[in-house]
Amino acid sequence: MSLIPAYFEKLKELNAMNSPPLRKVPVDLIRETFRTMQPERSEVKVAEVKDMVISTKSHRVPVRLYLPSIGTKMPVVLMYHGGGWVIGDLTTVDGQCRHVCAGTGAMVVAVDYRLAPEHRFPTAAEDCYAVLRWASESIGEFGGDASRIAVAGDSAGGNLAAVVAQMSRDRGGPPIVCQLLVYPVIDGTNFDTRSYVENAIGFGLSRDDMMWFWDQYTDKADRANPYASPIHADTLKNLPPALVMTAEYDVLRDEGEAYGERLKEEGVDAEVIRYDGFIHGFFGETDVIPDTRQAMNQACYMLNRHLWN
């Protein structure tokens, strides 16, 4: 279908700006610009927000806890932010975390993993897995239920959620109840899928942008490692239930859908939903583009179904 009207106008304005390609912009400036585009959403109310730094075996990782109520035995959603492993932080994922917290009654833990190119693969993935281990051991101190943990993320965060689910399976835990993968980055070895060709330019995230993000995050020799490109795992069996959400006008559409279909083929309880007329980034636009509310509602429905049953 055609772009929804709000995206037609947004892209018209963005394309008229004729911004330079990412490779020609300092990383610090890209990060600050993204932070401006994805501000905190304090108007979305939760009971409490708590910033803290947790200690892992190799690194101290900043996290932000969102509590739906002051209580105990709340299910937990670990939220990994998007931004191509290069940009994004606890500010840019704040709106998503608040909506998921309010929509599920679960505690949400946003993870400020280390970014590329300063910290290349597999640093981000190992940070995210380390927070899962911490949650399984310590989240009860903050009212969470370590037996009901989900992983979630959009774009590069969806990649990290899928990777952490595989790490959990491969390393014998900690167990994960379900995974929410929103337009996830799944394959760094193929930039010639139909969606990469059809949506290469003009829809926000370009083919060149995505190739640049991969170059910052990994060496080419690492691209087929399943902890970088989850679809290259020998098997996807015995992974937790998944919801994979994609956008029609997104270079990442086909790889996300291919991953979801392969999950189903290998016996995982998985659902794939494509949002026609949408572009990359819709999960962070619930407050500014009303049409995208349906995606947040669907995500919360899936999380509720697995975390509360």
Side-chain angles (χ1 to χ4, degrees):
M1 63 175 287
S2 300
L3 285 165
I4 63 171
Y7 279 137
F8 181 83
E9 293 301 323
K10 175 180 178 177
L11 291 173
K12 184 178 178 180
E13 293 174 3
L14 286 175
N15 293 334
M17 292 170 64
N18 198 28
S19 299
L22 289 181
R23 65 181 179 275
K24 294 187 177 181
V25 181
V27 169
D28 287 347
L29 179 57
I30 301 172
R31 289 171 179 165
E32 186 56 39
T33 300
F34 189 59
R35 194 175 293 115
T36 301
M37 294 170 62
Q38 297 282 356
E40 293 183 353
R41 296 290 181 184
S42 59
E43 66 273 16
V44 183
K45 299 301 182 183
V46 297
E48 184 178 358
V49 179
K50 182 191 301 281
D51 283 342
M52 56 188 293
V53 179
I54 65 170
S55 295
T56 70
K57 289 183 179 179
S58 61
H59 181 62
R60 288 168 59 81
V61 182
V63 299
R64 179 174 292 174
L65 276 59
Y66 296 81
L67 279 65
S69 61
I70 307 302
T72 59
K73 289 296 181 180
M74 291 174 281
V76 179
V77 179
L78 302 185
M79 183 71 76
Y80 306 128
H81 67 77
W85 311 280
V86 175
I87 59 179
D89 55 25
L90 298 179
T91 293
T92 63
V93 79
D94 179 74
Q96 297 177 35
C97 292
R98 288 174 178 273
H99 279 292
V100 169
C101 179
T104 63
M107 176 190 299
V108 176
V109 181
V111 181
D112 199 8
Y113 55 86
R114 285 173 286 179
L115 299 176
E118 297 93 333
H119 304 283
R120 292 169 64 81
F121 173 82
T123 302
E126 293 294 350
D127 281 357
C128 291
Y129 177 71
V131 174
L132 170 65
R133 290 183 58 85
W134 168 82
S136 74
E137 297 166 358
S138 304
I139 204 65
E141 299 173 19
F142 305 93
D145 181 355
S147 70
R148 293 182 291 164
I149 298 177
V151 292
D154 73 312
S155 195
N159 167 280
L160 294 168
V163 167
V164 169
Q166 290 193 23
M167 287 177 164
S168 170
R169 178 199 62 185
D170 299 345
R171 299 175 180 181
I176 293 170
V177 172
C178 62
Q179 49 182 326
L180 171 64
L181 313 179
V182 184
Y183 37 83
V185 186
I186 293 297
D187 189 358
T189 69
N190 184 4
F191 301 98
D192 296 310
T193 62
R194 182 177 178 182
S195 61
Y196 260 113
V197 173
E198 291 178 345
N199 306 307
I201 58 173
F203 295 99
L205 179 67
S206 72
R207 181 177 184 270
D208 286 348
D209 290 344
M210 201 61 240
M211 294 175 70
W212 181 83
F213 282 129
W214 272 108
D215 286 342
Q216 306 314 298
Y217 183 50
T218 63
D219 297 329
K220 286 184 170 59
D222 290 325
R223 299 281 173 84
N225 185 318
Y227 293 164
S229 297
I231 203 164
H232 287 278
D234 290 337
T235 179
L236 300 184
K237 292 180 179 179
N238 301 316
L239 288 172
L243 172 60
V244 182
M245 309 170 82
T246 66
E248 181 181 10
Y249 295 98
D250 183 3
V251 293
L252 301 177
R253 181 194 69 209
D254 290 356
E255 63 196 69
E257 293 176 1
Y259 192 68
E261 293 304 323
R262 189 176 157 202
L263 285 168
K264 290 192 285 186
E265 290 168 4
E266 298 195 32
V268 176
D269 176 8
E271 182 179 11
V272 181
I273 300 177
R274 177 190 295 185
Y275 288 91
D276 291 332
F278 283 22
I279 65 172
H280 189 87
F282 64 75
F283 204 61
E285 297 176 322
T286 303
D287 297 299
V288 293
I289 298 181
D291 289 285
T292 67
R293 163 58 70 173
Q294 61 180 301
M296 181 60 70
N297 289 344
Q298 186 65 45
C300 291
Y301 175 81
M302 186 279 290
L303 290 168
N304 278 323
R305 183 162 63 90
H306 292 288
L307 289 171
W308 289 104
N309 289 337

